[in-house]
C-alpha cells in the first residue's frame, strides 16, 4: 500500500467563506475523506464526516433542521458536535451513535479544516494569507479542481522558470529562465527569490505599470508546509530602487495559493490575485482575476498531463535540476511533517 503524500496534522483550505451557508450543506473530499460543511444559525461553520453512523449514507444528501443534520436514508438526526439526538421508532439513543467532527476555522476568506489529531489543532498554525482580506489590498480568486497530485502544483509554483515556456505572451519571457535566484529555508518554510534586472517587461506587467522602458522585476515565492504559497511579484522602472526596498514607482501583486489534497491524484487549488494599487477599481480586479485565471489554466493543462504521464510510467526516476531547488526544499518540509506523524503513530502503538 502506497503511503499518503500529505500530512494530516495541518490546516487545509476547504472552501471560500461564501460557499458555506445556513441553508444547504457542502460536500467536499479532503485528504481522501468525504466531509460535509455548513453554517449554524449563529454563523459558526461546522465540519463533519459525510457518512451516517447507521449505514454510512451520505449525510450531504439529507437536510438541515435548525443546526442539526438529518440523514436522508433513515432519518437519524445529528447535532453540530456529531452526536445523534434522534433515532426513528425508538426512545433510547445508542450512545455510540456519533459522526466525527473536525476543527474548522475561517480566516483570510477561506475555511480551514484540521484533519489530524484535534488536540494539536493550533489556530496559530493557520498560514498567513492576509492579503486576501487586508484593507490595503484588493483582489479576487477562484478554485481549480486539478486532476493532479498537490505536490506537482507546489513544484510548479516554486520554480517560475516555466513562465518562459508555458506562459509566453503574458507573464513569461526569456529573462525569467535565465535570471539567477536564491533559495532559503527554515522550520516548515522555504523561499525562492529572483530579481530580473533591467529587462523588458512581459505584456501583462507592461500594461499594469503603464510606463515605457526597461524594468526591474521581482518574484519572491514563500512556501509554508504543507501546501500554501504566497507569491510576491511586481515590476518597477529599472534603477528606481526596487531591489533596495523602494517599490513606490512600481506595481505589486500578492498571489496566494491554498493547495489542498483531495486524493492522491486530485487537488483543490484555491488562488487569489491581489494588488495594492488602484484598489478602488472593480474593473481592474476583474481584469486581474480573468487574466490570472487564463494563466493558471495553462498550468492546469501541463500538470494534468504530467500526472497522466506519471501514472503511465510508475517506475520513472526523476532527477533535479538547479531550478528545482525551491521545490525540493518544499517537499523536504512536507517529508519532515510526514516523518513526524509516522513517529507519533509508532509511539502511540
Amino acid at each position: 500500500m502506497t503511503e499518503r503524500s500529505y500530512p494530516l496534522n495541518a490546516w487545509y483550505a476547504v472552501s471560500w467563506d461564501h460557499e458555506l451557508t445556513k441553508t444547504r450543506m457542502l460536500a467536499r473530499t479532503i485528504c481522501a475523506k468525504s466531509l460535509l460543511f455548513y453554517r449554524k444559525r449563529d454563523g459558526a461553520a461546522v465540519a463533519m464526516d459525510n457518512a451516517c453512523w447507521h449505514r454510512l449514507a451520505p449525510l450531504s444528501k439529507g437536510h438541515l433542521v435548525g443546526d442539526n443534520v438529518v440523514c436522508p436514508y433513515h432519518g437519524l438526526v445529528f447535532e453540530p458536535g456529531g452526536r445523534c439526538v434522534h433515532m426513528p421508532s425508538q426512545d433510547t439513543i445508542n450512545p455510540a451513535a456519533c459522526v466525527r467532527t473536525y476543527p474548522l476555522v475561517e480566516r483570510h476568506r477561506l475555511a480551514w479544516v484540521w484533519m489530524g489529531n484535534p488536540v494539536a489543532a493550533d489556530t496559530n498554525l493557520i498560514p498567513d494569507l492576509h492579503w486576501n482580506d487586508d484593507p490595503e489590498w484588493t483582489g479576487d480568486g477562484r478554485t481549480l479542481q486539478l486532476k493532479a497530485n498537490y505536490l506537482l502544483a507546489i513544484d510548479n509554483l516554486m520554480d517560475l522558470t516555466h513562465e518562459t515556456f508555458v506562459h509566453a505572451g503574458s507573464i513569461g519571457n526569456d529573462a525569467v529562465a535565465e535570471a539567477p535566484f536564491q533559495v532559503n529555508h527554515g522550520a516548515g518554510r522555504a523561499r525562492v527569490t529572483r530579481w530580473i534586472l533591467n529587462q523588458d517587461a512581459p505584456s501583462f506587467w507592461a500594461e499594469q505599470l503603464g510606463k515605457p522602458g526597461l524594468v526591474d522585476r521581482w518574484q519572491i515565492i514563500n512556501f509554508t508546509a504543507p501546501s500554501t504559497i504566497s507569491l510576491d511579484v511586481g515590476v518597477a522602472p529599472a534603477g528606481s530602487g526596487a531591489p533596495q526596498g523602494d517599490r513606490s514607482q512600481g506595481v505589486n501583486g500578492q498571489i496566494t495559493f491554498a493547495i489542498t489534497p483531495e486524493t492522491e491524484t486530485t487537488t483543490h487549488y484555491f488562488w487569489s490575485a491581489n494588488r495594492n494599487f488602484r484598489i478602488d477599481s472593480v474593473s481592474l480586479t476583474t481584469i486581474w482575476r480573468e487574466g490570472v485565471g487564463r494563466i493558471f489554466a495553462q498550468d492546469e493543462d501541463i500538470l494534468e498531463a504530467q500526472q497522466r504521464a506519471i501514472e503511465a510510467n510508475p517506475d520513472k526516476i526523476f532527477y533535479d535540476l538547479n531550478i528545482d531547488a525551491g521545490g525540493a526544499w518544499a517537499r523536504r518540509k512536507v517529508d519532515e511533517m510526514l516523518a513526524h506523524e509516522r513517529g507519533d503513530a509508532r509511539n502511540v502503538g
Side-chain angles (χ1 to χ4, degrees):
M1 180 177 178
T2 303
E3 292 187 341
R4 56 181 161 81
S5 65
Y6 44 81
L8 296 179
N9 286 326
W11 292 101
Y12 289 108
V14 299
S15 72
W16 295 101
D17 52 10
H18 65 80
E19 295 182 89
L20 303 183
T21 74
K22 303 174 187 178
T23 58
R24 63 177 179 82
M25 293 175 283
L26 172 69
R28 191 156 281 171
T29 298
I30 307 295
C31 298
K33 190 79 169 178
S34 179
L35 303 183
L36 95 88
F37 308 93
Y38 67 96
R39 288 192 189 280
K40 298 190 296 183
R41 287 168 294 183
D42 65 5
V46 175
M48 65 173 62
D49 278 342
N50 187 26
C52 181
W53 167 85
H54 178 222
R55 291 290 188 267
L56 297 181
L59 292 173
S60 59
K61 291 184 177 295
H63 62 279
L64 295 172
V65 175
D67 291 342
N68 297 337
V69 178
V70 181
C71 175
Y73 195 11
H74 297 107
L76 278 73
V77 179
F78 298 90
E79 52 84 35
R83 181 173 57 89
C84 182
V85 294
H86 173 74
M87 291 180 171
S89 302
Q90 64 185 70
D91 295 326
T92 302
I93 298 176
N94 187 325
C98 298
V99 294
R100 181 182 175 184
T101 61
Y102 299 80
L104 186 69
V105 177
E106 294 180 76
R107 191 168 296 175
H108 312 315
R109 294 182 59 197
L110 292 162
W112 304 81
V113 73
W114 183 274
M115 297 298 295
N117 181 356
V119 175
D122 182 355
T123 57
N124 291 319
L125 299 177
I126 295 174
D128 179 14
L129 300 181
H130 72 271
W131 303 276
N132 288 354
D133 55 6
D134 189 318
E136 295 186 2
W137 292 75
T138 192
D140 200 4
R142 287 180 174 166
T143 309
L144 284 176
Q145 297 304 132
L146 184 65
K147 295 181 180 66
N149 181 275
Y150 83 107
L151 290 171
L152 298 182
I154 291 171
D155 292 342
N156 173 267
L157 292 168
M158 295 300 289
D159 168 28
L160 296 184
T161 59
H162 77 270
E163 289 183 357
T164 299
F165 313 100
V166 179
H167 307 306
S170 56
I171 59 173
N173 59 16
D174 290 343
V176 177
E178 299 303 324
F181 60 91
Q182 294 180 330
V183 179
N184 305 98
H185 62 92
R189 299 179 181 275
R191 171 181 289 184
V192 179
T193 302
R194 175 185 274 114
W195 282 91
I196 306 163
L197 302 177
N198 203 36
Q199 297 288 333
D200 291 322
S203 60
F204 177 85
W205 285 114
E207 292 173 9
Q208 303 308 308
L209 184 61
K211 302 175 184 178
L214 302 178
V215 299
D216 292 335
R217 181 182 180 188
W218 61 91
Q219 297 175 331
I220 303 171
I221 311 160
N222 292 290
F223 168 79
T224 301
S227 60
T228 56
I229 290 175
S230 60
L231 178 54
D232 176 3
V233 290
V235 298
S240 63
Q244 293 75 40
D246 180 6
R247 301 181 180 181
S248 61
Q249 297 186 51
V251 288
N252 199 171
Q254 281 280 354
I255 319 301
T256 65
F257 305 87
I259 300 168
T260 298
E262 180 182 37
T263 67
E264 285 293 347
T265 57
T266 57
T267 299
H268 304 292
Y269 187 105
F270 301 92
W271 62 266
S272 183
N274 308 297
R275 68 184 190 282
N276 64 354
F277 61 96
R278 295 176 58 192
I279 64 174
D280 294 328
S281 174
V282 176
S283 63
L284 186 55
T285 297
T286 300
I287 290 170
W288 268 57
R289 185 191 64 224
E290 298 304 310
V292 172
R294 287 190 292 272
I295 290 167
F296 291 158
Q298 295 171 324
D299 288 318
E300 182 179 13
D301 288 343
I302 288 289
L303 294 174
E304 292 184 353
Q306 184 185 14
Q307 179 68 48
R308 291 192 297 270
I310 289 171
E311 292 171 9
N313 298 274
D315 297 325
K316 168 67 177 176
I317 298 174
F318 292 93
Y319 296 93
D320 287 342
L321 306 177
N322 290 341
I323 57 176
D324 297 313
W329 275 111
R331 285 185 177 240
R332 187 173 300 185
K333 301 304 176 183
V334 173
D335 287 343
E336 289 171 0
M337 295 181 72
L338 288 166
H340 187 265
E341 286 188 5
R342 288 192 293 268
D344 284 350
R346 285 193 294 270
N347 291 337
V348 171

